[in-house]
Amino acid sequence: MPVPLSILDLATAARDQTPADALEGTVALARKAEGTGYRRVWYAEHHNMASIASSATSVLIAHVAAHTSTIRLGAGGVMLPNHSPLVIAEQYGTLETLHPGRIDLGLGRAPGTDQNTMRALRRNGASADSFPEDVMELQGYLQGRSRIPGVDAYPGKGTDVPLFILGSSLFGAGLAAALGLPYAFASHFSPGALHEAIALYRREFQPSEQLEKPHVIAGFNVIAADDRADAERQQHEMMRSRVALLLRPGTEYTDEQADELLAAPQAQHLHQMATYSAVGTPDVVRDQVAEFADATGADELIIAHQGPRVEQRLRSAELLAEAYMR
């Protein structure tokens, strides 16, 4: 039986699209996922990135949940050091109260942004040091066993929203194993430690109330199209958009300038980000997804459909579902 597939929706807007276009696309993609057999859709917290509209994950999840019926929705993830555990417990407890049995909460310790924006978020370099304690405090609120005497999350208390630890290093793998939580590795953009992290997590996993045995989710990029040339064009356009990560926020550039930067040594890590990717027709993409699942032994794959435009991501999600899950 194929490994279950989920979707990481980055809520991206093409260079000629608006955030409103991107947010409209999140609803369309979640509906597509719901109708074609994906397990869940997650949204990632990013800040000060003009092309990504998922900065306020709880607000976005509430909107998408109101326009879907059954599919699980969640954060992939909330960057917990940017927030207080109590506020996140209240937000996601509210979501679970409104949409019972449909809400996930993935947690990461990265800032999800650059150094200047970290300061704007009132976060300092030491904020991540308390991540394990913050996760346990948050878990206590959601389980109805608060670690802070006299303080509870309303809504949130006793909702038992399932937690997931996100990461791209051995730190997250070790924490997820120690707490007995599912572990999601961000191999869709940070592939380096994938296999080592999975091995550590499985080796050190301790069963918990939430989870009896290890559960690994691995990220994978997909651009599926009706013909190979179209898929490759989409990949090239996607790589051009990633050039923005090398530049100051708000810097404008032409396609020619983007291509020059992509050919330069400083863009090497942009190409490495796409190590685990499948680009092509549905049969090609299906086989590469299956190979990745076998190579990692993952219990679930979370797919980042990387088409630059909403309609391309919708088609990619549909084609992969038809080829892989039916």
Side-chain angles (χ1 to χ4, degrees):
M1 185 171 178
V3 171
L5 300 184
S6 296
I7 290 178
L8 177 64
D9 183 359
L10 299 175
T12 52
R15 287 163 68 183
D16 62 343
Q17 292 180 314
T18 66
D21 295 325
L23 294 174
E24 184 178 351
T26 64
V27 173
L29 185 56
R31 286 175 168 170
K32 178 69 68 176
E34 186 171 74
T36 52
Y38 289 90
R39 175 174 285 186
R40 64 184 102 238
V41 182
W42 281 0
Y43 307 96
E45 177 186 343
H46 292 282
H47 299 282
N48 198 30
M49 296 183 182
S51 63
I52 297 180
S54 56
S55 55
T57 56
S58 60
V59 178
L60 181 55
I61 291 165
H63 177 67
V64 177
H67 289 81
T68 52
S69 301
T70 57
I71 194 162
R72 296 194 67 90
L73 301 166
V78 164
M79 301 298 105
L80 190 55
N82 293 343
H83 313 274
S84 75
L86 177 61
V87 168
I88 296 303
E90 291 169 342
Q91 290 177 359
Y92 282 80
T94 299
L95 287 169
E96 175 64 23
T97 302
L98 291 169
H99 306 283
R102 296 183 58 199
I103 304 302
D104 299 328
L105 178 49
L107 302 168
R109 65 174 181 141
T113 191
D114 57 82
Q115 295 293 321
N116 284 336
T117 309
M118 279 181 61
R119 287 191 286 272
L121 289 165
R122 303 299 188 266
R123 174 176 173 173
N124 60 52
S127 300
D129 294 346
S130 62
F131 181 65
E133 293 77 15
D134 289 346
V135 171
M136 290 186 287
E137 182 182 333
L138 171 58
Q139 186 178 52
Y141 291 132
L142 295 172
Q143 291 178 338
R145 295 196 290 266
S146 175
R147 290 171 172 260
I148 310 298
V151 178
D152 281 298
Y154 300 110
K157 181 179 181 179
T159 54
D160 288 310
V161 177
L163 302 183
F164 300 72
I165 299 297
L166 279 57
S168 58
S169 70
L170 302 186
F171 178 89
L175 179 62
L179 297 180
L181 296 175
Y183 179 55
F185 191 91
S187 39
H188 64 290
F189 76 89
S190 184
L194 171 64
H195 295 285
E196 190 177 1
I198 290 175
L200 184 151
Y201 170 70
R202 291 195 181 281
R203 183 173 64 248
E204 298 188 0
F205 180 83
Q206 299 295 316
S208 67
E209 288 184 23
Q210 179 177 327
L211 196 64
E212 293 182 357
K213 60 183 182 179
H215 186 87
V216 172
I217 303 175
F220 193 73
N221 299 300
V222 166
I223 297 177
D226 292 287
D227 66 79
R228 175 181 172 181
D230 183 26
E232 291 176 348
R233 281 193 297 270
Q234 291 183 42
Q235 182 188 37
H236 191 187
E237 188 175 345
M238 181 271 294
M239 290 302 297
R240 282 174 170 169
S241 70
R242 286 191 173 179
V243 165
L245 298 176
L246 298 174
L247 304 172
R248 294 180 61 183
T251 302
E252 295 189 3
Y253 54 91
T254 65
D255 288 345
E256 292 74 17
Q257 290 170 327
D259 290 340
E260 289 178 8
L261 285 166
L262 287 170
Q266 61 263 40
Q268 183 178 359
H269 78 280
L270 295 183
H271 298 286
Q272 291 174 338
M273 287 168 63
T275 297
Y276 294 120
S277 301
V279 178
T281 54
D283 55 336
V284 170
V285 168
R286 176 199 61 215
D287 292 346
Q288 292 183 16
V289 167
E291 288 172 7
F292 179 73
D294 289 342
T296 58
D299 303 288
E300 181 178 342
L301 299 184
I302 190 156
I303 304 298
H305 289 282
Q306 293 284 7
R309 306 184 70 83
V310 169
E311 57 270 22
Q312 293 165 333
R313 296 195 291 274
L314 287 169
R315 184 59 175 156
S316 181
E318 181 178 43
L319 291 173
L320 177 59
E322 290 175 351
Y324 185 83
M325 292 189 281
R326 296 180 183 175

